[in-house]
Amino acid sequence: MQHISHKDLENYDRFYRGNLINSVTGFKSANLLATRSIDDTDNVAIFSSVTHLGSNPAMFSFVQRPLGHGVGHTYQNLKTTGKITLNHVNMNLVDRAHQSSAKYAEQVSEFDELDIELLRRDNFVAPFVKEASIQVAADYVNEYPIKENNCILVICKITDIFITPDILHLDGWLDIGKAGSIAINGLDGYAVTNTKKRLSYAQVDKELEELSIHNNA
């Protein structure tokens, strides 16, 4: 196997190093996080750092990069309104979603600029992405500064979930492959997911059982 040491990493070109380190930890989720500013500008941007934090209460986190130079509109809007939506990216959205990572001006709505169809729901401040098969509304809960790289770990509490019914199984499992949700490899590689197997809850002295992936509610 090829060996890459920490000294090698330090000497690499930053783009080469970025591609390598962003790929080495494996596939990540692809989500469009949408917010609305206090002056009614809708913002949407792709994030690959969304992580499940717990089911009760239902929470997820995402990593906000160091603030400055006109970036961080998602974070700023979330801190102002306390509201955000998480929307799964599919292949129909992928080109426009990828472009949403560009540094648009604060007064520019990526929904309009990139022709991403916005879905407004009554009693929800933040907009949704209409083309997403899985849409989640959430509230800001807390944040933790990461002093090692000046990023911010942002914690959100899930309040509402909207899904296409055919992906929900009787035991609550969502078939996100059937939903068309994609994964990100590194910074710019997009992969289609396809669930091959589900296994029962792992317990000592009990054999694993294969669960159905076609048992929809």
Side-chain angles (χ1 to χ4, degrees):
M1 299 181 71
Q2 181 178 351
H3 175 212
I4 300 173
S5 70
H6 70 280
K7 290 184 178 180
D8 294 326
L9 292 175
E10 291 172 357
N11 291 324
Y12 284 151
D13 169 81
R14 70 184 185 95
F15 292 107
Y16 185 95
R17 181 174 58 246
N19 283 330
L20 175 60
I21 299 303
N22 272 281
S23 301
V24 77
T25 51
F27 285 113
K28 297 166 288 187
S29 62
N31 292 287
L32 283 167
L33 298 184
T35 56
R36 186 172 177 82
S37 71
I38 57 174
D39 63 357
D40 298 330
T41 300
D42 294 300
N43 171 265
V44 65
I46 191 168
F47 280 77
S48 63
S49 59
V50 173
T51 304
H52 160 81
L53 281 186
S55 300
N56 188 22
M59 297 186 298
F60 66 83
S61 69
F62 69 92
V63 175
Q64 170 60 52
R65 294 178 180 176
L67 300 173
H69 307 295
V71 300
H73 303 148
T74 298
Y75 172 77
Q76 292 168 0
N77 294 343
L78 176 59
K79 288 297 295 289
T80 301
T81 67
K83 305 295 182 179
I84 194 169
T85 70
L86 178 155
N87 307 268
H88 283 216
V89 176
N90 55 49
M91 285 305 298
N92 290 332
L93 276 166
V94 68
D95 288 0
R96 290 167 289 161
H98 183 79
Q99 183 61 27
S100 71
S101 63
K103 297 177 181 179
Y104 291 97
E106 187 174 0
Q107 67 275 16
V108 173
S109 170
E110 292 86 356
F111 282 101
D112 296 334
E113 191 74 14
L114 302 177
D115 196 26
I116 297 175
E117 190 170 0
L118 179 151
L119 174 62
R120 190 85 63 199
R121 286 192 169 95
D122 292 341
N123 302 318
F124 290 90
V125 173
F128 297 82
V129 176
K130 187 173 183 179
E131 293 179 62
S133 297
I134 299 176
Q135 306 167 10
V136 177
D139 292 343
Y140 172 88
V141 174
N142 207 344
E143 64 183 59
Y144 298 91
I146 304 173
K147 64 181 181 180
E148 289 79 6
N149 60 5
N150 294 320
C151 290
I152 303 170
L153 182 68
V154 183
I155 313 299
C156 298
K157 180 180 179 180
I158 295 172
T159 61
D160 301 86
I161 300 172
F162 300 91
I163 56 174
T164 54
D166 61 328
I167 65 172
L168 176 62
H169 281 231
L170 294 173
D171 62 356
W173 181 72
L174 292 180
D175 189 343
I176 61 173
K178 188 174 183 180
S181 302
I182 62 173
I184 298 180
N185 175 9
L187 296 169
D188 51 18
Y190 296 90
V192 177
T193 62
N194 185 11
T195 304
K196 295 295 185 181
K197 180 184 290 190
R198 291 187 70 203
L199 294 174
S200 61
Y201 183 77
Q203 302 179 63
V204 176
D205 298 327
K206 185 175 180 180
E207 291 187 5
L208 293 174
E209 298 178 4
E210 188 167 348
L211 304 177
S212 172
I213 59 174
H214 304 292
N215 183 24
N216 296 90

